[in-house]
């Protein structure tokens, strides 16, 4: 063997060992622990809305520790539209969306799988107007009509009289307004435009509400993340973000006047309050511009999308995976909710959890009521959770 | 120069003859045959790859093409996934054309200047270093340039260039404002500037090759007529190198058209016309990146694939032109950038 | 008629313009590299190389976070792509060089050059339709195939160049001593061209390693290390360019610094590979 060959071999050996070390270093497990769990390990793949991503991924981290690395929930935030799409294509075990599935999609799923598509609220989405105006912190008041005018491009200056009317004590500069919106399909957009459509017929007819609309003006950012980034990098910008993102990133966000005429400052309580209304059994409801008196008007559910007939989902390969998915689901709407406030999310109201449990009871694997089985095992009765 | 004839007219006759020969000859013949078949198959797979791309992109986009007609789709100006469910590719077509052509124009003279400098003026060691640095520009991944663009270039451009121009126009020349648009860091202008930087290496490399291949007699003739150094370059070298310069430019244009990540991160993502100079826009690759994972409606997904097909056609035309010119004017077998 | 003085002045002016242009062109590159290093170096710690990404709230909760799964994923996907691309690319290159009279050759060359110039995103779309859709899931395999589509035209072209630069006398010598055609190619021509072949492979590898767009809808991304090695191929996997993109457009500052650090790694990776290729080329010359 020549010197060069020896050197090459040594290099390969070094690389290989580095490789092995790196891949074994996960979470500081001892080899013994890892070997023990490895045989039963389950990967749960989900994808969808960017808004709940901080919460879902934190839940995933927590759940992974809880199950001692046995169950890994891999959630990719690609937008609500993406979540719905991947759910339909069955490339993911669960989707996540801030828009509930349309009637057409529900019908298609019933035809394709013989069972329903469940929309299960996991958390609440609240969308706040975020802005970047030098010298002005959080707390600018906006009305629905004002937001429509800004996002239509009718108002282009921060010191416009309509804004000054609502904020008489604040010194607004003569700065051009840059509107920032989502460039990808998104449930956050759905919630935001749903609100705008409810307060303005003009908006509803010209732009409408959906996960992706033909915006009259402004620049697009990719994901909640992109909008937040664009707003922060552009003085005079106004965009819309989830409350959690705004909090997590120290952004300036405004208060919004709700249907009852109250100026509501975004908060967990105000968001939960908005959902404090009569819910249909399948929870497919939008409560933007909520009738709740002190409810924050730009809020909605973030739903986890699950096939009733779990075996019909190509992404789920066996009963064990289906079972783990259900376990995670149950945990996330109960203990998992503890993580909510810490990360800037409002907790699910009991009414929603109720409906969720009803739906979980009906989850099936090859005809067997697997959801009910697991619930019985865990002895979960709504009465226990007061 | 084929010393071996491998195409017998009558296969079975040859086989019979072969079987009369010693085993080593069979080994040769079989080996050659198998090798040839394998190699030809692999070579053919290149064609298959190209065909697959065309077929798949058209196939996936066919829903849109049927709905809007090919020319209807390409000239449609509305991209509305929500209310009207109408998809037209014109904004992205224009975005691609404007940013790519503008980037080429911006980068043209600097790129040639670098080529001239390294070929004619710089000492050997310096030319080598500059060469490597230019190649490095082409090597830096687009996402890295993108992240730098987002956090460094865009804010800097906004504060140092766009905003002053905007405020000046506001006070002295308000008629210009609709053309300028809102001065944010992200937008057509920033994306174009970054594109211009990224495509410099292609023009430079081919121009330099062309300059170096100018016969020494041309230069000597100019010298003999009393030309100064620059005059030699201007009168004798550059005209001769025209072909290489052209080839390099079209190659650069091709790269600019296809550039995806840096543009997607910086262009602001506005899907409607008209575009303004400082305002946001979108290109064909950038809209695919931004909307592909989120597209729910089949028509939306199909329209994105249809844009992919349109991009394919345009890149095909430009690259065919570039390939033809490059092979015609390239000196060595291939500096693959 | 200009005087000698005027012409000399113009010469000097042009020369300075050339120098200025060169500086203007090279300055951004230097600035970019400096920024990447300065911004990213602080995030390059032990955790970065040994921990998984997990949730963006990890930093808030005091838990370690890093990109080990991204680095490993990149290595696996890129190496597999190379494995897939080498036979096809080299085979095509051999065909173009060793069977120059074959009637498919002009078509192959044109198609190859065109594919070379095609945006990588289209190759990603092709891999999505051919691999992701039938398989029913995003996967490292799909990502590898997409990158292989990027590598193949480059490898084909460089292989053709490398082999064509070997003088015909070598082939004649091989044939003269009685070697069959295929042995001549494999045992005499290719070893003689090994510098060019290796260089071409390195270039293709470096080019593909920097691509993000094709990976966004093929290998998709993963915040964790898959449970089993096979999971990297059959399920979604994280890669540096795609993760860099996600980190850059996220609103979390600590994710931004990790993005810069990822940029350092990616840049190093690409520069070293390209650099080796250039170095080998110069050696040969």
């Amino acid at each position: 063997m020549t010197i060069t060959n020896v050197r090459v071999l040594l290099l390969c050996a070094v690389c290989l060992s580095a490789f092995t070390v790196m891949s074994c270093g996960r979470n500081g497990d001892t080899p013994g622990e890892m070997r023990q769990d490895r045989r039963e390990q389950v990967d749960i793949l989900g994808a969808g809305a960017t808004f709940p991503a901080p919460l879902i991924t934190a839940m995933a981290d927590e759940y992974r520790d809880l199950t001692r690395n046995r169950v890994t929930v891999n959630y990719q935030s690609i937008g609500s539209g993406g979540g719905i799409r991947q759910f339909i294509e069955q490339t993911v075990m669960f989707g996540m969306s801030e828009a509930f599935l349309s009637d057409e999609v529900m019908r298609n799923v019933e035809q394709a799988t013989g069972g329903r598509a469940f929309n299960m609220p996991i958390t609440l989405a609240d969308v706040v107007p975020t802005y970047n105006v030098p010298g002005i912190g959080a707390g600018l008041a906006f009305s629905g009509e004002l937001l429509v005018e800004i996002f239509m491009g009718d108002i282009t200056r921060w010191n416009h009289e309509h804004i000054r009317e609502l904020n008489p004590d604040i010194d607004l500069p003569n700065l051009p307004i840059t509107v920032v919106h989502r460039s990808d399909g998104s449930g956050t957009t759905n919630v935001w435009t749903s609100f705008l459509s409810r307060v303005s017929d003009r908006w509803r007819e010209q732009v409408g509400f959906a996960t992706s609309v033909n915006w009259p003006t402004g620049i697009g950012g990719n994901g909640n993340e992109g909008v937040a980034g664009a707003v922060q990098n552009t003085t005079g910008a106004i965009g819309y973000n989830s409350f959690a993102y705004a909090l997590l990133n120290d952004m300036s966000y405004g208060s919004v006047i709700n249907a009852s005429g109250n100026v509501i400052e975004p908060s967990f309580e105000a968001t939960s309050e908005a959902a404090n209304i009569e819910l249909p059994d399948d929870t497919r409801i939008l409560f933007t511009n909520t009738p709740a008196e002190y409810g924050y008007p730009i809020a909605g559910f973030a739903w986890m999308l699950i096939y009733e007939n779990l075996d019909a989902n190509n992404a789920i390969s066996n009963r064990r995976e289906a079972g783990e998915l259900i376990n995670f689901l149950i945990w996330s709407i109960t203990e998992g909710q503890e993580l909510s406030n810490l990360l800037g999310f409002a907790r699910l109201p009991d009414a929603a959890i109720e409906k969720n449990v009803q739906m979980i009871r009906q989850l099936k694997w090859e005809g067997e009521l697997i959801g009910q089985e697991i619930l019985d095992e865990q002895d979960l009765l709504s009465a226990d959770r007061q | 120069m084929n010393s071996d004839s491998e195409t017998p007219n009558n296969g079975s006759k040859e086989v019979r003859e072969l079987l009369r020969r010693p085993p080593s000859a069979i080994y040769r013949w079989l080996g050659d045959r198998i090798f040839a078949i394998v190699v030809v198959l692999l070579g053919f797979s290149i064609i298959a790859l190209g065909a697959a791309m065309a077929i798949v992109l058209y196939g996936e986009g066919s829903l849109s093409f049927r709905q809007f007609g090919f020319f209807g789709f390409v000239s449609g100006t509305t991209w509305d996934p929500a209310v009207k469910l109408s998809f037209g590719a014109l904004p992205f077509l224009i975005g691609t054309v404007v940013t790519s052509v503008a980037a080429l124009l911006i980068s043209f003279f600097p790129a040639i200047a670098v080529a001239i400098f390294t070929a004619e003026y710089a000492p050997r060691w310096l030319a080598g270093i500059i060469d490597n640095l230019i190649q490095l520009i082409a090597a830096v991944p687009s996402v890295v340039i993108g992240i730098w663009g987002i956090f460094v270039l865009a804010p800097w451009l906004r504060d140092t260039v766009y905003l002053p121009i905007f405020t000046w126009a506001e006070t002295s020349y308000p008629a210009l404002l609709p053309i300028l648009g809102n001065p944010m860091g992200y937008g057509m202008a920033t994306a174009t500037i970054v594109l211009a930087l990224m495509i410099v290496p292609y023009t430079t490399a081919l121009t330099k090759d062309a300059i170096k291949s100018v016969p020494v007699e041309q230069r000597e003739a100019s010298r003999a007529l009393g030309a100064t150094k620059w005059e030699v370059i201007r009168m004798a070298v550059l005209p001769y190198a025209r072909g290489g310069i052209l080839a390099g430019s079209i190659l650069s244009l091709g790269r600019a058209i296809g550039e995806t990540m840096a543009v997607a991160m910086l262009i602001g993502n506005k899907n409607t016309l008209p575009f303004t100079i400082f305002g946001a826009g979108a290109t064909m690759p950038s809209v695919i990146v931004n909307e592909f994972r989120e597209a729910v409606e089949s028509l939306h997904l199909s329209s994105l694939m249809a844009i992919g097909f349109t991009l394919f056609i345009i890149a095909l035309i430009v690259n065919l032109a570039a390939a033809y010119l490059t092979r015609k004017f390239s000196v060595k077998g291939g500096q693959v950038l | 008629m200009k005087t000698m003085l005027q012409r000399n002045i113009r010469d000097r002016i042009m020369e300075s313009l050339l120098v200025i242009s060169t500086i203007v062109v090279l300055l951004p590159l230097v600035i970019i590299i400096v920024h990447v290093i300065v911004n990213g170096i602080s995030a390059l710690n032990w955790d970065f190389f040994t921990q998984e990404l997990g949730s963006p709230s990890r930093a808030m909760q005091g838990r370690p976070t890093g990109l080990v799964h991204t680095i490993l994923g990149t290595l696996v996907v890129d190496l597999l792509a190379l494995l897939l691309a080498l036979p096809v690319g080299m085979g095509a290159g051999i065909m173009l060089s060793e069977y120059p009279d074959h009637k498919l050759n002009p078509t192959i060359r044109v198609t190859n050059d065109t594919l070379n110039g095609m945006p990588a995103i289209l190759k990603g779309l092709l891999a999505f339709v051919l691999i992701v859709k039938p398989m029913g899931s995003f996967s490292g395999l799909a990502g590898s195939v997409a990158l292989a589509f990027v590598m193949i035209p480059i490898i084909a072209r460089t292989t053709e160049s490398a082999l064509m630069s070997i003088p015909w006398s070598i082939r004649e010598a091989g044939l003269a001593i009685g070697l069959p055609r295929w042995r001549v190619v494999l045992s005499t021509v290719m070893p003689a061209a090994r510098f060019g072949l290796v260089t071409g492979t390195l270039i293709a590898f470096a080019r593909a390693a920097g691509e993000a767009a094709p990976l966004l809808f093929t290998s998709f991304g993963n915040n964790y290390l898959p449970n089993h090695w096979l999971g990297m191929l059959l399920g979604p996997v994280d890669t540096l360019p795609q993760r860099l993109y996600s980190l850059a457009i996220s609103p979390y500052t600590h994710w931004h610094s990790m993005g810069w650090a990822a940029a350092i790694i990616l840049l190093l990776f690409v520069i070293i590979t390209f650099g080796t290729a250039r170095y080998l080329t110069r050696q040969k010359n």
Side-chain angles (χ1 to χ4, degrees), chain A residues 78-79 81-82 84-85 157 176-178 183-185 207-208 210 212-214 218-220 222 230 233-235, chain B residues 78-83 150 158 166 170 182 184 186 268-270 272 280 290-291 293-298 301:
Chain A
I78 58 176
I84 297 176
R85 176 104 223 145
R157 293 263 158 192
I177 298 183
T178 304
S183 58
D184 51 316
V207 187
S212 179
V213 299
N214 200 10
I219 60 172
N222 218 19
N233 283 335
T234 313
T235 37
Chain B
T78 321
W79 185 266
D80 188 351
V83 176
I150 290 182
R158 181 181 200 269
F166 186 78
E170 264 191 310
N182 219 326
M184 332 160 264
Y186 308 121
N269 310 320
K270 178 166 173 284
T272 52
N290 280 322
E291 300 199 359
R293 306 204 281 185
E294 289 78 24
V296 186
E297 309 286 332
S298 305
L301 201 64

Side-chain angles (χ1 to χ4, degrees), chain A residues 19 21-23 25-28 38 41-43 45-47 53-54 57-58 60-62 64-65 69-70 72-76 78 86 89-92 222 224-226 228-229 232 245 248-249 339 342-343, chain C residues 46 49-58 60-61 63-64 68 71-72 75-76 128 132-133 136-138 220-229 231 236 238 242-243 245-246 249-253 255-256:
Chain A
F19 213 69
V21 165
M22 287 211 303
S23 53
R26 250 166 48 178
N27 279 350
R38 209 176 274 279
Q41 279 173 334
V42 174
D43 272 333
L45 177 59
T57 48
D61 257 354
E62 183 90 9
R64 197 152 177 265
D65 283 348
N69 276 8
R70 195 170 50 84
T72 307
V73 177
N74 173 20
Y75 180 79
Q76 292 302 313
I78 58 176
Q86 301 312 321
E89 301 268 339
Q90 296 178 10
T91 50
V92 293
N222 218 19
N224 244 300
E225 307 143 329
Q232 291 186 306
Y245 269 45
L248 212 69
N249 229 52
L339 289 169
L342 173 67
L343 296 170
Chain C
W46 183 249
F49 290 101
T50 55
Q51 294 297 328
E52 294 155 303
L53 187 61
S55 146
S57 55
R58 272 198 185 187
M60 222 169 64
Q61 298 169 313
R63 300 166 59 146
V68 66
I71 298 176
L72 289 178
L75 286 172
V76 169
F128 174 77
V132 176
K133 279 179 97 169
S137 77
F138 299 102
F220 201 60
N222 196 333
N223 288 17
Y224 299 98
L225 212 46
N227 280 320
H228 191 263
W229 282 120
D238 225 33
Q242 155 255 318
R243 181 48 64 183
Y245 172 66
S246 304
I249 63 173
S250 75
Y252 316 110
T253 31
W255 270 20
H256 292 167

Side-chain angles (χ1 to χ4, degrees), chain A residues 188-247:
Chain A
T188 313
T189 301
N190 197 43
V191 174
W192 182 257
T193 51
S194 152
F195 173 68
L196 295 180
S197 295
R198 286 188 177 188
V199 299
S200 160
D201 287 336
R202 190 164 67 109
W203 181 276
R204 194 186 58 238
E205 278 152 26
Q206 287 183 25
V207 187
F209 76 93
T211 54
S212 179
V213 299
N214 200 10
W215 295 93
T217 181
I219 60 172
N222 218 19
N224 244 300
E225 307 143 329
V227 171
V231 167
Q232 291 186 306
N233 283 335
T234 313
T235 37
I238 181 170
Y240 56 92
N241 284 103
S242 69
F243 186 41
Y245 269 45
L247 281 181

Side-chain angles (χ1 to χ4, degrees), chain C residues 13-279:
Chain C
I13 295 179
M14 288 315 295
E15 190 175 342
S16 352
L17 274 180
L18 291 181
V19 173
I20 293 177
S21 292
T22 309
I23 297 179
V24 163
V25 163
L26 293 180
L27 203 57
L29 176 69
V30 176
I31 294 179
I32 292 177
I33 295 184
V34 166
H35 269 127
V36 166
I37 296 179
V38 164
N39 286 327
I41 199 96
S42 53
L44 278 182
N45 47 30
W46 183 249
D47 276 349
F48 182 84
F49 290 101
T50 55
Q51 294 297 328
E52 294 155 303
L53 187 61
S55 146
S57 55
R58 272 198 185 187
M60 222 169 64
Q61 298 169 313
R63 300 166 59 146
T65 182
L67 290 183
V68 66
H69 59 301
T70 315
I71 298 176
L72 289 178
T74 310
L75 286 172
V76 169
V77 167
D78 287 358
L79 283 174
L80 180 62
L82 190 61
L83 233 63
L84 295 173
L86 269 178
V88 182
M90 287 212 165
I94 292 176
M95 175 171 178
L96 291 173
S97 146
E98 302 299 311
Y99 297 84
D101 300 334
H102 199 285
K103 44 184 170 17
L104 278 183
N105 278 0
T107 321
I108 293 181
R109 250 189 222 106
V110 167
T111 314
N112 198 56
D113 283 346
T114 314
L115 281 174
N116 230 337
M118 283 284 156
I121 191 173
L122 296 179
K123 294 161 184 168
L125 290 179
L126 185 61
F128 174 77
V129 174
L130 292 181
I131 310 281
V132 176
K133 279 179 97 169
M135 229 172 115
S137 77
F138 299 102
S139 60
L141 180 64
S144 296
V145 169
L147 290 187
F149 288 162
V150 172
M151 292 182 189
I152 287 173
I154 305 177
I155 296 183
R157 183 151 192 229
T158 52
T159 304
E160 184 195 359
S161 289
L163 294 181
M164 292 228 283
S165 71
I166 303 294
W168 203 262
S169 49
I170 301 233
R171 296 177 183 79
E172 286 184 331
L175 290 168
I177 63 171
L179 291 176
R181 185 90 176 270
W182 65 275
R183 278 297 297 274
V184 169
V185 171
L186 291 181
S187 311
T188 60
V189 180
M190 286 189 74
R194 66 180 179 281
F195 261 144
L197 295 178
V198 169
T199 308
T201 309
L202 285 173
I203 292 179
F205 191 69
R207 269 286 298 279
E211 294 287 350
L215 296 172
L216 290 176
F217 16 83
T218 46
S219 53
F220 201 60
N222 196 333
N223 288 17
Y224 299 98
L225 212 46
N227 280 320
H228 191 263
W229 282 120
L230 218 54
M232 277 197 169
L233 296 181
L234 301 176
V237 76
D238 225 33
T239 48
L240 273 173
Q242 155 255 318
R243 181 48 64 183
L244 177 49
Y245 172 66
S246 304
L247 293 174
I249 63 173
S250 75
Y252 316 110
T253 31
H254 65 279
W255 270 20
H256 292 167
S257 354
M258 281 212 288
W260 286 111
I264 294 183
I265 305 288
L266 197 56
L267 211 52
L268 260 174
F269 186 51
V270 164
I271 289 180
I272 290 180
T273 322
F274 260 119
T276 317
R278 298 269 299 173
Y279 174 69

Side-chain angles (χ1 to χ4, degrees), chain B residues 165-190:
Chain B
I165 297 183
F166 186 78
T167 14
W168 165 83
E170 264 191 310
T171 45
S172 334
Y173 208 174
L176 220 49
L177 283 184
I179 305 178
L180 284 181
N182 219 326
M184 332 160 264
Y186 308 121
M188 302 275 281
T190 311

Side-chain angles (χ1 to χ4, degrees), chain B residues 86-144:
Chain B
S86 147
F87 296 98
L90 197 60
F92 313 110
L93 210 59
I94 293 187
T96 301
V97 168
V98 166
T99 49
S100 305
V101 171
L104 182 59
L105 290 175
I106 296 178
S107 68
F108 187 69
F109 286 112
I112 295 186
V114 175
I116 297 177
F117 180 69
T118 48
E120 301 285 323
Y121 285 88
R124 210 79 185 290
W125 60 271
L126 186 60
I129 294 181
I130 295 180
D131 249 355
N132 283 328
L133 287 177
I134 295 285
Q135 291 280 18
L136 200 56
I137 297 179
V140 174
S142 186
V143 266
V144 175

Side-chain angles (χ1 to χ4, degrees), chain A residues 43-211:
Chain A
D43 272 333
I44 297 183
L45 177 59
T50 51
F51 157 76
L55 182 62
I56 302 296
T57 48
M59 283 185 180
D61 257 354
E62 183 90 9
Y63 196 67
R64 197 152 177 265
D65 283 348
L66 228 77
T67 59
R68 313 225 1 235
N69 276 8
R70 195 170 50 84
V71 180
T72 307
V73 177
N74 173 20
Y75 180 79
Q76 292 302 313
S77 55
I78 58 176
S80 292
I84 297 176
R85 176 104 223 145
Q86 301 312 321
F87 174 73
I88 295 174
E89 301 268 339
Q90 296 178 10
T91 50
V92 293
M93 295 188 189
F94 68 88
M96 185 84 67
S97 167
E98 287 170 68
F100 55 77
L101 296 176
S102 66
D103 289 335
E104 187 185 337
V105 172
M106 300 285 282
R107 264 197 308 271
N108 290 342
V109 169
E110 287 221 46
Q111 274 178 356
T113 69
R116 286 164 291 175
F118 283 148
N119 301 251
M120 300 193 196
I122 291 292
T123 184
L124 292 165
D126 37 15
V127 187
V128 300
T130 49
Y131 49 85
N132 177 358
V133 182
I136 297 186
L140 269 187
F142 296 90
S143 68
E145 293 77 24
L146 176 60
L147 288 172
V148 169
E149 288 179 313
I150 294 178
F151 276 78
M152 276 268 190
D154 299 333
I155 296 184
T156 53
R157 293 263 158 192
W158 278 102
N159 61 352
H160 192 277
E161 55 174 347
H162 287 179
I163 310 182
R164 276 185 290 130
E165 268 167 15
L166 294 174
N167 299 280
D169 304 326
I170 302 188
D171 195 13
L172 291 158
N174 183 17
L175 198 56
I177 298 183
T178 304
V179 168
V180 184
H181 55 74
R182 291 287 288 270
S183 58
D184 51 316
S186 131
T188 313
T189 301
N190 197 43
V191 174
W192 182 257
T193 51
S194 152
F195 173 68
L196 295 180
S197 295
R198 286 188 177 188
V199 299
S200 160
D201 287 336
R202 190 164 67 109
W203 181 276
R204 194 186 58 238
E205 278 152 26
Q206 287 183 25
V207 187
F209 76 93
T211 54

